[in-house]
Amino acid sequence: MIFTSYIPEGFRYSYCIVPLPKPKGHFSKSLTCDDFRGIAISPTLSEVFEYCILDRFGLFLTTSDNQFGFKNGVGCNYAIRVVRNVVDTYIKNGSTANLSAKDLSKAFDKVNHYALYLKLMKRLIAHEILNLLEFWLSPCYSCVKWCNVWSDFFDVNFGVRQGSVLSPFLFGVYVDDIARSSRMFLGSFLVLYADDILLISPSVCMLEKLLRMCEHELGLLDMVINTRKSCCLRIGPRYISCCGSISTSTGANILWVDEIRYLGVFIVRSRKFKCSLDYAKKSYYRAANAIFGKIGQYASEDVTLQPINVKCVPILMYGLEACPLVKSDLSSLDFVLKDRFL
């Protein structure tokens, strides 16, 4: 298939797109289309072949060091730890860290295939692989599954499949120029994890310039920042000081808030880098109560505690290795665990 740049016709089909609700807030509000993420289910042989391509040609799909998504041995905790180290460095030098979390609107679904091919050509990827990807992606076919009903197949002429093996790596290549362009802003830092962007700067003025750069690069990719889900936060000696709203090139204001969510961790406005554990504790209790509601009255203690230990405790402990914990935080976590296990 690599030699001929041809794949079976069935590889171009994702046999259903399953809409899954996004975890944030779907328990307490009426859902809309924007609250679902479509996960494509591809043929198994297609995914095996994608792994083969990664094994042979993964060198052409590498990304910048400050892009942490979809890399072996690197996860969300690494990105959170880097953010913490950068903020601590600013504070140690007497500066206030200004953070801005950016969310991209439908990022995976807006990938322009021809722009992706150009970026791969600049990396001097083998023309057999480039021709194969072009044959593979232009076009794809898919359908939507809702409950037990399937739609008709339709053409997909843009975007990369969420759920595919190659898609995260292709998306990383697609947005990698944003990470590379941020190096021009000395003293500032950009952390990229898939479509989650966090800008860090010692001044509000530099933060707004970094935002303009991101907007310019995203505009070249036909992507926009979702201002409704973007916000700013200050950490450091002047964290209480009020700042004017940062505006995008379209005139939309990005508000300053007391808490931002980044990669599942809630960073709060404070004199030092600090994370809130409230959401983790709520999620833990919600998951544990769901298990107790199903099997708590019938199963033994050992059987009941096993799924809680496997499914619920990781929710409570998520990201803690990268977050600074004071004595009160440890006592709070200790109480949550004892409340359920003792």
Side-chain angles (χ1 to χ4, degrees):
M1 286 187 283
I2 293 176
F3 181 75
T4 61
S5 299
Y6 179 84
I7 58 172
E9 188 69 17
F11 282 20
R12 302 168 74 176
Y13 284 78
S14 56
Y15 285 89
C16 61
I17 296 177
V18 181
L20 299 178
K22 297 180 180 179
K24 184 180 179 182
H26 77 274
F27 300 101
S28 58
K29 69 175 184 178
S30 299
L31 300 181
T32 65
C33 293
D34 294 333
D35 296 313
F36 288 86
R37 177 181 289 109
I39 303 299
I41 300 178
S42 304
T44 303
L45 285 179
S46 171
E47 296 185 355
V48 173
F49 182 57
E50 291 179 70
Y51 277 117
C52 294
I53 293 177
L54 282 179
D55 181 67
R56 295 290 185 89
F57 301 96
L59 182 64
F60 295 97
L61 303 178
T62 56
T63 53
S64 304
D65 292 337
N66 54 335
Q67 185 173 170
F68 294 89
F70 315 111
K71 292 183 176 180
N72 291 331
V74 178
C76 296
N77 56 334
Y78 282 80
I80 298 168
R81 181 70 186 185
V82 168
V83 173
R84 176 187 172 183
N85 290 341
V86 172
V87 171
D88 289 345
T89 301
Y90 285 164
I91 296 174
K92 183 179 180 181
N93 293 329
S95 300
T96 298
N98 300 276
L99 286 70
S100 183
K102 307 301 177 188
D103 181 78
L104 304 183
S105 299
K106 307 296 181 183
F108 277 74
D109 300 329
K110 286 190 174 181
V111 173
N112 184 297
H113 292 164
Y114 296 101
L116 175 62
Y117 302 151
L118 289 173
K119 292 181 179 294
L120 292 173
M121 290 169 63
K122 291 180 180 179
R123 293 169 175 252
L124 304 180
I125 193 169
H127 72 275
E128 292 89 354
I129 298 299
L130 184 63
N131 292 337
L132 185 143
L133 290 175
E134 184 176 1
F135 179 77
W136 200 334
L137 298 175
S138 304
C140 293
Y141 306 95
S142 189
C143 65
V144 177
K145 177 187 177 185
W146 183 260
C147 295
N148 292 321
V149 180
W150 282 263
S151 71
D152 294 331
F153 278 94
F154 52 86
D155 296 352
V156 181
N157 296 308
F158 52 86
V160 290
R161 306 173 185 173
Q162 294 197 53
S164 169
V165 175
L166 275 179
S167 292
F169 298 93
L170 296 177
F171 182 80
V173 171
Y174 191 68
V175 299
D176 196 47
D177 286 343
I178 301 175
R180 297 181 186 275
S181 299
S182 66
R183 298 172 184 172
M184 299 184 299
F185 296 84
L186 299 178
S188 298
F189 202 79
L190 181 147
V191 179
L192 191 62
Y193 196 102
D195 58 343
D196 291 314
I197 302 175
L198 187 68
L199 312 179
I200 313 174
S201 179
S203 70
V204 177
C205 180
M206 186 63 70
L207 184 66
E208 191 162 18
K209 291 181 179 179
L210 197 58
L211 170 62
R212 291 285 189 271
M213 181 277 299
C214 286
E215 285 190 292
H216 173 72
E217 292 292 339
L218 290 172
L220 297 177
L221 302 177
D222 195 26
M223 292 184 177
V224 295
I225 294 175
N226 187 349
T227 55
R228 294 188 297 107
K229 295 184 179 180
S230 301
C231 52
C232 300
L233 176 139
R234 286 166 64 84
I235 303 175
R238 292 178 295 279
Y239 76 98
I240 300 180
S241 302
C242 297
C243 298
S245 298
I246 294 179
S247 60
T248 64
S249 57
T250 59
N253 290 330
I254 299 177
L255 302 179
W256 295 89
V257 297
D258 297 330
E259 182 179 271
I260 63 173
R261 179 179 181 175
Y262 183 69
L263 301 179
V265 172
F266 287 80
I267 305 172
V268 299
R269 185 179 68 159
S270 178
R271 185 173 296 275
K272 295 183 179 180
F273 188 89
K274 183 180 178 181
C275 296
S276 173
L277 303 179
D278 294 340
Y279 183 84
K281 290 187 287 187
K282 290 179 182 178
S283 300
Y284 168 82
Y285 278 122
R286 185 184 296 115
N289 289 335
I291 293 175
F292 272 104
K294 293 292 184 180
I295 64 173
Q297 298 179 354
Y298 312 103
S300 65
E301 291 183 0
D302 293 336
V303 173
T304 303
L305 292 179
Q306 178 63 20
I308 290 179
N309 187 43
V310 173
K311 298 294 184 181
C312 303
V313 173
I315 296 175
L316 184 65
M317 299 298 178
Y318 171 77
L320 295 186
E321 63 270 31
C323 299
L325 298 177
V326 296
K327 187 175 181 180
S328 59
D329 294 328
L330 296 175
S331 299
S332 176
L333 293 172
D334 187 57
F335 172 79
V336 172
L337 292 174
K338 287 183 178 180
D339 179 53
R340 190 59 65 182
F341 282 96
L342 296 182

